[in-house]
Amino acid sequence: MNFDLSSEQLAVRNAAVRFAEKEIYPKVAEQERNCTFPKETIQKMGSLGFFGAAFPEEFGGTGSGYLCHAILCEEISRAHSSLRTPFNLQAMTCPATLLQWGTPAQKEKYVKKLVSAEWMGLFAITEPDVGSDVAGIKTVAIKKGGRYILNGQKTWISNATVFDAGLVFAKTNPKERHRGISCFLIEKGMKGLSAREIADKLGHRCSPTGTLFLEDVEVPEENRVGPENEGFKVAMTALDRGRLSVAAGAVGVAQACVDAAVRYAREREQFGQLIGTYQMVQQKIAEMRAGVEAARLLLYQCGFLKDQGRRDTLESSIAKYFASQVAVAAANDAVEIYGGNGYSEEYPVSRLLRDAKLYQIGEGASNIMRQLIALDALGWKKANG
Ligand SMILES: Cc1cc2nc3c(=O)[nH]c(=O)nc-3n(C[C@H](O)[C@H](O)[C@H](O)COP(=O)(O)OP(=O)(O)OC[C@H]3O[C@@H](n4cnc5c(N)ncnc54)[C@H](O)[C@@H]3O)c2cc1C
């Protein structure tokens, strides 16, 4: 077993670190204050191939693999977690799903544009009444001639107000649950499609989220992605990949908490000593660091398995679950180490605490991950099939 990163993986990490130093850190505080959507930065990352690690060259990728994707995502999230979202929408959930399930024409039209971030992507499952219970979605797609008519509402959808093209899931057989869902490609400007931003959210303030309204949206049959009524499978394969980015984002946030805590503990004095000399502060730093190292190993294991073409539903769920717990605990501890200053926007740790929480919710809430992991352990439902 070799735990060393290859020279290519190290080069990818360095590229992300350099990009973050030049393009992200100098702007993060102001963008956070103004809830700015940094589209230009995302497009720069796209043109540098940051979203294309797991894509072949013919589709605008670099072919460097899933582990490289995880490394890039981790380093960018370490600088600004809002910039983790495009690692799903411009890579793992939207275009990679098209690459797996799409027709040649769909791949040709959309994948390159999404991976380069020329077009902003979207991936819409969640609805006002349905989150974890994906098979219970209520949006319908009724077939009429050569098209489907979509009606319903999607909420908590990243990029809902800024997307150019993306995937939406709807019931083609409303009487069925898992076996009644299909996946469709939608584009900005389709008649009957509108969106409203969800403002004032806890964290990820520079990653727009919104509600998508579908009122008699006509989608041509050639925009269906994958076979009719097999959209649940399409969604699950997308979430398997999405969990890699989410775990990477959580590791990045947790590492940023260690960075910030160490910096402060080496500067701040109380009772005539650096606070880093107190054992109780050291204990927190040690726990944070051990958590990040363990979460990173789980993450890289998933990148490795995906690069081998092996199914990793169990491993990616464990990585996502564990890394998100570590990120929230580390952010909590980092704020505590900063004391009153941790409560201020002058330092990064309040943002880290806000952003960390999302990782326990999106791409399968922690309880859903616990359930999947436990059912596999009990032998009642093997996660990897
Ligand atoms: C910032 C942000 C961005 C998002 N972006 C997207 C996006 O781009 N696309 C998209 O489709 N969705 C997106 N989501 C939605 C996200 O995927 C859902 O919030 C998540 O799946 C949980 O669903 P829910 O919020 O409806 O919670 P619910 O499913 O209602 O769950 C509420 C609580 O009940 C628990 N629970 C539910 N079922 C069970 C069970 N069987 N056993 C035990 N506990 C259970 C959950 O763990 C949770 O604690 C986003 C959410 C946020 C906050």
Side-chain angles (χ1 to χ4, degrees):
M1 199 183 286
N2 182 1
F3 287 95
D4 288 329
L5 294 180
S6 69
S7 54
E8 185 186 13
Q9 288 153 354
L10 287 170
V12 156
R13 160 154 287 149
N14 286 338
V17 169
R18 280 198 308 276
F19 184 86
E21 277 166 2
K22 188 162 169 255
E23 303 283 346
I24 303 178
Y25 285 112
K27 300 175 191 162
V28 60
E30 198 190 337
Q31 285 176 346
E32 203 52 24
R33 214 169 12 255
N34 300 322
C35 301
T36 311
F37 174 51
K39 185 171 174 179
E40 223 179 90
T41 311
I42 293 168
Q43 290 186 320
K44 272 188 195 166
M45 289 197 279
S47 64
L48 289 169
F50 280 20
F51 307 125
F55 291 78
E57 281 178 25
E58 61 170 312
F59 290 108
T62 58
S64 42
Y66 285 94
L67 180 49
C68 281
H69 174 91
I71 291 168
L72 283 160
C73 183
E74 174 194 343
E75 283 300 338
I76 297 300
S77 178
R78 181 179 181 183
H80 194 182
S81 185
S82 283
L83 284 167
R84 196 275 320 163
T85 314
F87 282 88
N88 266 358
L89 301 179
Q90 311 304 139
M92 291 294 105
T93 48
C94 188
T97 303
L98 282 170
L99 202 58
Q100 182 180 357
W101 293 91
T103 62
Q106 290 170 347
K107 292 181 202 180
E108 174 71 26
K109 182 170 175 195
Y110 296 97
V111 174
K112 244 186 190 174
K113 285 206 162 72
L114 288 163
V115 170
S116 66
E118 183 186 338
W119 281 4
M120 295 293 111
L122 170 122
F123 182 80
I125 298 178
T126 309
E127 299 181 355
D129 295 333
V130 182
S132 304
D133 180 18
V134 173
I137 57 169
K138 292 175 180 162
T139 297
V140 289
I142 305 299
K143 203 168 181 182
K144 254 195 190 166
R147 46 196 61 227
Y148 292 88
I149 314 295
L150 270 64
N151 277 289
Q153 236 186 73
K154 297 284 171 186
T155 196
W156 285 109
I157 304 304
S158 301
N159 277 6
T161 51
V162 298
F163 85 101
D164 294 291
L167 303 177
V168 67
F169 292 82
K171 280 270 167 82
T172 29
N173 182 354
K175 289 191 197 122
E176 290 283 348
R177 280 175 50 82
H178 307 81
R179 293 194 182 88
I181 296 173
S182 301
C183 173
F184 298 94
L185 262 162
I186 57 167
E187 280 188 36
K188 175 178 83 175
M190 279 180 159
K191 202 162 161 256
L193 201 57
S194 59
R196 189 170 55 222
E197 184 161 6
I198 298 173
D200 300 329
K201 53 187 197 290
L202 175 67
H204 286 87
R205 294 181 174 174
C206 301
S207 168
T209 318
T211 301
L212 199 63
F213 302 90
L214 300 114
E215 289 174 53
D216 292 329
V217 178
E218 290 191 17
V219 177
E221 196 173 349
E222 62 261 26
N223 277 26
R224 196 189 65 234
V225 179
E228 193 172 75
N229 294 326
E230 290 197 23
F232 187 81
K233 260 193 229 160
V234 176
M236 292 304 122
T237 57
L239 294 178
D240 264 1
R241 280 187 297 268
R243 281 176 198 143
L244 181 77
S245 308
V246 172
V251 171
V253 166
Q255 181 62 55
C257 293
V258 176
D259 300 340
V262 165
R263 209 162 44 233
Y264 198 71
R266 288 168 63 104
E267 281 167 10
R268 176 78 173 174
E269 283 186 15
Q270 284 299 288
F271 302 96
Q273 280 175 235
L274 290 171
I275 60 167
T277 62
Y278 295 119
Q279 283 184 3
M280 279 185 280
V281 173
Q282 290 176 3
Q283 182 189 359
K284 283 206 179 308
I285 290 172
E287 281 170 3
M288 289 160 79
R289 186 165 185 197
V292 180
E293 297 284 343
R296 184 176 291 118
L297 287 176
L298 289 171
L299 169 70
Y300 289 5
Q301 175 185 237
C302 295
F304 168 81
L305 290 171
K306 284 190 195 304
D307 282 333
Q308 308 275 311
R310 286 157 65 180
R311 178 140 184 217
D312 71 335
T313 303
L314 175 66
E315 292 80 3
S316 61
S317 301
I318 292 175
K320 189 267 174 188
Y321 168 69
F322 187 77
S324 63
Q325 301 294 108
V326 164
V328 170
N332 223 2
D333 284 347
V335 170
E336 196 170 329
I337 288 173
Y338 272 69
N341 284 335
Y343 218 65
S344 129
E345 288 298 305
E346 214 178 300
Y347 296 89
V349 289
S350 54
R351 165 174 58 85
L352 294 170
L353 182 60
R354 291 197 300 270
D355 286 351
K357 198 66 199 166
L358 174 65
Y359 293 110
Q360 292 180 321
I361 300 169
E363 235 72 16
S366 287
N367 276 358
I368 302 302
M369 299 295 92
R370 288 183 181 106
Q371 194 177 54
L372 186 149
I373 297 162
L375 288 177
D376 184 274
L378 289 160
W380 292 338
K381 192 174 177 194
K382 295 313 274 180
N384 290 345

